[in-house]
Amino acid sequence: MPPGNSSHKVSVAARLLASIDLIDASQACALLCIETDDPEGAMRAMACDGALITLVQGGEIRLPLFQFDTENGRVFSVVRDILNLRPASLSNLRLYYWLTRAHVDFGCAPAHRFGHDDAAILAAFRRYIEPDHHG
């Protein structure tokens, strides 16, 4: 099958998502100490505000666990910074991929360094999204 085939894209996306610890909206609300009758609505609102990364899987919101500072009950501030820099052409799936794969600057995935190397993560992300200039 050619790389542009939609079933190929689905299988790549499914494999990538299977490699990420995802939580549902109710679990995210519990981590953030948000009491609500509409956890999905609360997470959608935060995503619209550029405060966290979401994905819709099986018709429901899923959130990568790596973006949560579980010890302090908050979303790492670097997530908002990354989302503010992210070009519209960069899909959530590509963003997940970049955040969860080993990076030469860190010797691990950038997401593993959230809260420790935030400035370096932002610098690496800027390099990643900067268009190539030739000539």
Side-chain angles (χ1 to χ4, degrees):
M1 292 182 145
N5 185 290
S6 63
S7 64
H8 175 73
K9 288 181 183 178
V10 170
S11 69
V12 169
R15 285 194 313 259
L16 176 59
L17 295 175
S19 71
I20 301 170
D21 288 330
L22 297 171
I23 60 174
D24 65 27
S26 295
Q27 292 168 312
C29 284
L31 279 173
L32 299 173
C33 299
I34 296 173
E35 293 184 27
T36 179
D37 292 333
D38 183 13
E40 288 216 5
M43 294 302 100
R44 284 183 202 278
M46 288 182 72
C48 286
D49 188 37
L52 53 76
I53 303 164
T54 62
L55 169 73
V56 176
Q57 185 179 41
E60 296 181 4
I61 287 185
R62 297 287 184 251
L63 303 105
L65 185 58
F66 63 71
Q67 67 187 324
F68 294 95
D69 177 354
T70 56
E71 291 180 16
N72 297 306
R74 64 183 183 94
V75 178
F76 286 108
S77 60
V78 70
V79 172
R80 182 179 292 275
D81 297 336
I82 288 169
L83 290 172
N84 284 333
L85 290 173
R86 181 177 82 166
S89 62
L90 185 67
S91 71
N92 279 348
L93 196 58
R94 282 185 56 200
L95 180 59
Y96 295 145
Y97 185 82
W98 187 83
L99 288 170
T100 61
R101 296 302 175 251
H103 191 281
V104 67
D105 289 359
F106 312 109
C108 63
H112 293 161
R113 301 301 307 156
F114 280 3
H116 302 284
D117 293 322
D118 293 352
I121 291 167
L122 288 175
F125 186 67
R126 281 187 184 98
R127 288 192 310 272
Y128 173 67
I129 61 173
E130 182 178 295
D132 291 330
H133 297 283
H134 300 283

